[in-house]
Amino acid sequence: MFKKILIANRGEIACRVIKTARRMGVKTVAVYSDADSRALHVAMADEAVFIGGAAAAESYLRGEKILEAARQTGAEALHPGYGFLSENADFARDCEREGIAFIGPNAEAIARMGDKIESKILAKKAGVSTIPGHQDALTSADEIGAIAETIGYPVMIKAAAGGGGKGMRIARQGDNLVEAAASARREAEASFGDGRVFVEKYIENPRHIEIQILCDKRGAAVHLGERECSIQRRNQKIIEEAPSPLLNKTMREAMGREALLLAKAVGYDSAGTVEFVVGRDKVFYFLEMNTRLQVEHPVSELITGLDLAEEMIRIAADEPLRLTQNDVRFTGWAFEARLCAEDPERGFLPQTGTLSRCRPPDESQTVRIDSGVEEGDAISVYYDPMIMKLCSWGEDRESARKTILSALERLELEGFPNNRLFLSAIFAHKRFAAGDLSTSFIEEEYPQGFKAETEEEVLRRDSRAVALFAEWQNIKRARQEAALPLRARMPKHLAVMEGETREEFAVSEREGGLAYGASVYGAGRLTRKIQSDWRFGARLFHGQLDGRTILMQIRRSDQSWILSYGGARFVFRVMSPLQAALEARLPKREASEKTDRLLCPMPGQLVKLHVKAGDRVEAGQPLAVVEAMKMENILFAEQDAVVKEIFCEEGQSLALDDPILRFG
């Protein structure tokens, strides 16, 4: 076994590998960029070596610097994590030449499976089901258009290299094919240094299901069942689960058999994942093979009891697999949610900033946290926007779902917009709870985009009860600080305002709780009771409402209570009925008009301008493309207008809210 390994990565995956190595008694070396000098993975490792500037191209993608760090520290092996150089065959060969074990598959397997075109050709020869399409690399719009017409729309244009949802675009008709192909090529070039693309038939409303495999260097191989990865935005996964609610034993064995056929054909020798798309008819097709540890590997670990990072290390040390297919056992159900610095209410635009508050729930046998950040850390524009992964385990799907919902309610993340509420909304969604999934789930259920408002009256009533309780506690605190007698001074009625809606409640304290009921002109019958040990300033409310447990996040902003609960956000103002009546008489502010400027919604680089000064544009027309965190973000016109002035040029770096153009 190795005595020391280097982790050629950062963030949560570096921390995750360090934990396993430490448990195995193996020392670790971290590498870091300018942006990561105080990062958690640097603090956790036994040694750390600086490798360059903040941009990945100046550090984590510099194979020669990473190998120099390995030589300098005497590391015998190198774990690449995921992303960066993890699927770079040349880097794996360089490790081999240096006598450093690459903790991953052999370079030939990486090369053959890393090229999405060659992998499909090889899969077809191996007897694996493949999607109809054109398997040759295409470079011109005419070629792409001709193939699309042949196989029929819709089509998927995909990068020949790489993965992770980058360099992928759907063209539903010829009108948007040229721009979709150009955008896919640009993103592929920026992410992988390879702008080649190919075209295949797009399977409508498919399920995305992948098979985890383990293969040693002696020809032994097993599969560890499937993961369902259908909940995606921007072609990137955000929720995964194992097993899949779609598969039965027969289908699982068939997909596992094909995954191992492909592994054998390519001479695979590490942990890897074979991905499939599954149509509504339950016919499955090979999608691609990821020759690395997947982001979502924890759900497979939770239901099998295996440590995949440990298995990878042992295989790289030329140890035989420690289990056969008959030894693989599946227990319970597991979910993973990816917490990302992005704004779901603005098209999932990446966000940057300082993590001013980061309080994860406690880990347990049913809750797992994989994170590479701490409170006070900066989320920069240079790397992927994922903050952490939150996982749950339960004896069945429903118990695992309820566990992760509770864990999401307990997770406190502040400092910039993030997707915690959105994830909660999905896990609470009736269709998701029923297991009716597809890669189009988000587009179908949120066609106008996600908004944290909801019409769910139960959530509103519960949140309103907490707002009443919180204001009651606030009034008590103020009375106590002023040394005023409580019973003589506490109000008997409170008004709750939500926007322009106003309701009045009779309130009183009963046996350590707050009793309240609807009131009309001071008369009313107390009907509900809420109890909690919550105190003013606490961000997490945990209590009993009519004997039912409720858990939600709460904070005070100006005169309002902001509550997040069940994937929804509520804003209530609670005051005396007299204050509410006086406020209702105040003149209302007129709604502000839309800005006459297109502002950059995130720090990034302007890679494409679709318009020039003097152009007339229509609502929904693309105006510009900004690249941030390795993803292209298309900015659209919100209304019909004329472009009056352009403020920047293609290739220019932009800060948040920098003006791009002005309408006249």
Side-chain angles (χ1 to χ4, degrees), residues 265-576:
V266 76
Y268 202 78
D269 55 353
S270 186
T273 301
V274 181
E275 302 197 350
F276 296 90
V277 291
V278 185
R280 289 295 182 183
D281 55 4
K282 293 192 176 182
V283 175
F284 59 87
Y285 304 97
F286 170 71
L287 183 64
E288 63 184 14
M289 184 176 189
N290 287 301
T291 56
R292 53 173 167 79
L293 196 62
Q294 290 279 85
V295 177
E296 59 272 21
H297 74 274
V299 293
S300 295
E301 294 183 330
L302 286 168
I303 66 167
T304 61
L306 296 171
D307 183 326
L308 292 179
E310 178 179 353
E311 298 305 321
M312 290 181 75
I313 293 170
R314 292 188 180 280
I315 291 169
D318 202 21
E319 293 187 12
L321 275 186
R322 299 185 292 170
L323 74 167
T324 67
Q325 194 63 57
N326 289 334
D327 297 323
V328 178
R329 295 287 183 271
F330 305 114
T331 304
W333 211 284
F335 283 107
E336 175 182 284
R338 302 189 191 189
L339 279 300
C340 299
E342 63 185 21
D343 191 346
E345 298 191 52
R346 298 178 66 198
F348 302 99
L349 290 175
Q351 303 292 310
T352 59
T354 300
L355 198 54
S356 59
R357 190 176 185 87
C358 182
R359 309 288 171 85
D362 293 335
E363 290 196 85
S364 65
Q365 289 185 332
T366 58
V367 175
R368 168 174 167 173
I369 309 290
D370 282 27
S371 176
V373 297
E374 296 179 298
E375 197 165 278
D377 283 354
I379 305 298
S380 77
V381 71
Y382 298 106
Y383 312 119
D384 187 275
M386 190 170 71
I387 306 167
M388 66 176 65
K389 301 181 310 199
L390 176 62
C391 302
S392 70
W393 179 90
E395 293 184 356
D396 53 35
R397 190 174 190 268
E398 184 61 10
S399 62
R401 187 183 71 88
K402 289 180 177 177
T403 296
I404 202 165
L405 262 174
S406 176
L408 282 165
E409 297 290 3
R410 295 177 184 276
L411 172 63
E412 300 177 49
L413 289 177
E414 295 179 15
F416 41 78
N418 62 76
N419 67 339
R420 185 189 68 84
L421 264 184
F422 179 60
L423 293 170
S424 291
I426 293 178
F427 280 111
H429 200 289
K430 291 179 182 178
R431 177 180 162 187
F432 182 89
D436 180 13
L437 313 178
S438 83
T439 56
S440 303
F441 181 96
I442 291 174
E443 290 85 351
E444 291 170 355
E445 298 303 321
Y446 305 97
Q448 305 304 316
F450 172 72
K451 299 296 178 187
E453 296 82 19
T454 180
E455 299 299 322
E456 194 72 42
E457 193 55 36
V458 172
L459 300 182
R460 176 168 282 100
R461 285 200 303 266
D462 289 356
S463 300
R464 188 169 53 213
V466 172
L468 275 167
F469 185 94
E471 187 62 31
W472 181 266
Q473 292 294 92
N474 186 33
I475 294 170
K476 282 179 66 174
R477 178 182 63 89
R479 298 288 193 270
Q480 289 168 343
E481 289 177 354
L484 296 173
L486 289 180
R487 292 196 177 276
R489 300 284 181 176
M490 293 300 287
K492 295 182 179 177
H493 298 88
L494 287 173
V496 180
M497 309 283 288
E498 185 186 14
E500 300 302 315
T501 303
R502 168 186 159 191
E503 291 188 72
E504 188 177 315
F505 298 88
V507 291
S508 66
E509 194 162 22
R510 299 279 182 89
E511 301 174 4
L514 179 71
Y516 71 96
S519 174
V520 181
Y521 302 112
R525 186 167 59 86
L526 300 176
T527 58
R528 306 193 76 185
K529 184 174 181 180
I530 181 168
Q531 296 173 290
S532 176
D533 59 2
W534 180 87
R535 292 292 180 267
F536 187 86
R539 300 292 186 93
L540 195 65
F541 182 94
H542 185 264
Q544 299 285 317
L545 177 59
D546 294 336
R548 176 169 53 89
T549 299
I550 54 173
L551 176 69
M552 65 181 71
Q553 293 192 19
I554 178 172
R555 65 184 176 90
R556 180 82 163 172
S557 178
D558 295 327
Q559 302 301 309
S560 299
W561 293 102
I562 301 175
L563 305 109
S564 61
Y565 180 43
R569 183 187 302 112
F570 299 94
V571 180
F572 295 110
R573 288 170 297 141
V574 185
M575 61 193 72
S576 72

